[in-house]
Structures are given as structure tokens and as C-alpha cells.
Amino acid sequence: MRPGAVAALMSASLLLVGAGPARGAALRPLPDRMADTGGGTQLITAVAPDTGATTGTLTWWDREGGADGRWVRAGSAPARFGAAGLADGATRAQGTNTTPTGLYDLPYAFGVEAAPPGTAYRYRPVHEDSWWCQDNASRSYNRWTEPRPADCRADCRAAEAEHLITYPEQYAHALVVGFNYDRPVRGRGAGIFLHVNGRGTTAGCVSVPAEAMRRVLRWADPHERPHIAVGTSGGATAVTRY
């Protein structure tokens, strides 16, 4: 948005990540301005300037002092999003190359390479027969499978099933994002991860440099119930709304 000069002073705080008082909100950590952080004491935020953006910032946070403590930034890194930007996770359509916005849990980690030393998350090694099923007609829709089941089709574009080991750079290390995971809605989308950068934008995942991904895995503690919040700096898909 490009507000006019007259409205700029009054709406300046609304153009920051989340609405609030002009000075007070700007000084509060992002998690304190969010509608929900998942109830844990760790949080990852992935924020883009707007839904058309393909780059932004990933930040991971600790809540020091327990549930009533203060949020402190533990680290950050540049992030990449889908080639077509971002879309509201509640209405996103599969195959649109958009990253779904929303607040999601992080069920488990995986990778072609061994888990970084210090990783506490459950970590699944990628094998030759490791697939992620994206076939809407399959009983294994939006699930890791070994081997690929007969009812989960595969094609050269990985539109129906993704052969994980064929992406040794991107899936060197990754976290499963719980988008459309617990009760999958057919056609909403499958195989959304936080993973290592490839050559450019993603097909809907969030990606970061390799060292940042390793740092996130060494930091993440499942006992702290970390979640990831994906959104924009403002508007209907503002990260503060989730």
C-alpha cells in the first residue's frame, strides 16, 4: 500500500508488522503483537513484505522465564517463499506455488544428511525409497511414505509424489510444517517444509541458507512446543493476525 501524505502519520503503526500504538507496538517484540504463538516457549516467524513478495525474514524466538516471560530473538536469516508469493493458508489451492500463511506446528525434522549435532527433534533420515505423497486421490495424501504406495502417482514434475532424495541440497536438513497435515483437505496443498535454499524461490515452502537451517535445528526443542508463523507485514495476511 502507498498511503497519502495526510494519512501517513496516523497510519504509520499499521504499516509495521501488526497494528498497534505507533511507538509502543514498534518497541514490542513481534511475538507479543501476535494473536497466537501456539502456546509454547519457542516460535519461528517467517515474514514477507506483502503477498507478492518472494523474499523476507525468518526469525526464531525464545520466551525467557516460561509462559509469562518475555520474547527474545534467538536468531534470524533471510528467507525465500513461493515463486508466486504467499496466500492465506485457509483458502490456498494446491499447485499455485504460493507459501501458505498461518500458524503451524512442526511435527518432525528430516534430511538427506545426518542431523546436525545437538538436534533434539525427531529426525527422519531420507532413504532411496522416501517419498512425500501429494496425490489427492491417495490415502497417503500429505504424508511421508516408504516406499511410495501404489495409489500415490508420481510424474516427472513431482506434482503427485516428491522423491525426497532427489533434492539433496534443499532437503539436506528440513522441518515439516504442519500445514494441512492433521486433517488434510484435498486440493489445499501438501509437502510444505522449512528447508535449505535451492537455486531460487520455492514451490510453496519457506527456505533459508544452509547454516541457518542447521542453527534452527540445533535450537529447536520439542519440549518447548515450537510453532512457525508465516505471514506478511500487514494486511489480511499479517503475521500478527494468526
Side-chain angles (χ1 to χ4, degrees):
M1 294 185 293
R2 297 177 182 272
V6 175
L9 291 177
M10 297 184 64
S11 62
S13 64
L14 299 177
L15 298 179
L16 296 170
V17 179
R23 296 185 63 84
L27 298 176
R28 296 168 62 203
L30 175 56
D32 284 338
R33 291 177 271 141
M34 294 175 57
D36 188 6
T37 59
T41 54
Q42 286 188 331
L43 177 71
I44 300 172
T45 55
V47 184
D50 52 60
T51 54
T54 58
T55 60
T57 302
L58 188 92
T59 307
W60 47 107
W61 307 81
D62 288 308
R63 191 161 201 168
E64 297 183 344
D68 297 323
R70 65 189 185 101
W71 286 102
V72 177
R73 189 178 73 169
S76 65
R80 298 177 185 175
F81 300 99
L86 295 84
D88 185 3
T91 56
R92 177 187 183 267
Q94 184 165 327
T96 55
N97 289 333
T98 54
T99 298
T101 62
L103 178 69
Y104 307 106
D105 63 356
L106 298 160
Y108 60 90
F110 70 91
V112 174
E113 298 180 10
T119 299
Y121 245 79
R122 181 167 72 95
Y123 193 90
R124 294 191 69 168
V126 174
H127 301 128
E128 183 61 40
D129 60 351
S130 301
W131 296 76
W132 196 277
C133 184
Q134 301 178 150
D135 188 337
N136 282 279
S138 174
R139 290 174 295 178
S140 300
Y141 178 67
N142 202 18
R143 287 292 184 273
W144 176 301
T145 65
E146 286 186 4
R148 179 175 59 84
D151 72 342
C152 183
R153 295 171 294 168
D155 62 26
C156 61
R157 296 177 294 107
E160 309 294 349
E162 193 168 43
H163 195 195
L164 299 177
I165 204 166
T166 62
Y167 300 93
E169 182 178 8
Q170 293 94 324
Y171 296 157
H173 304 295
L175 273 164
V176 175
V177 174
F179 166 72
N180 200 33
Y181 189 78
D182 288 338
R183 297 181 179 179
V185 175
R186 311 290 165 150
R188 184 63 48 79
I192 300 299
F193 312 126
L194 171 61
H195 64 71
V196 177
N197 285 340
R199 293 184 179 180
T201 55
T202 74
C205 296
V206 180
S207 73
V208 292
E211 178 54 30
M213 191 68 232
R214 288 190 289 267
R215 289 173 61 196
V216 168
L217 286 177
R218 289 192 292 263
W219 159 86
D221 183 346
H223 294 101
E224 304 297 334
R225 295 180 295 156
H227 286 67
I228 185 169
V230 183
T232 54
S233 296
T237 54
V239 71
T240 52
R241 293 177 179 264
Y242 297 108

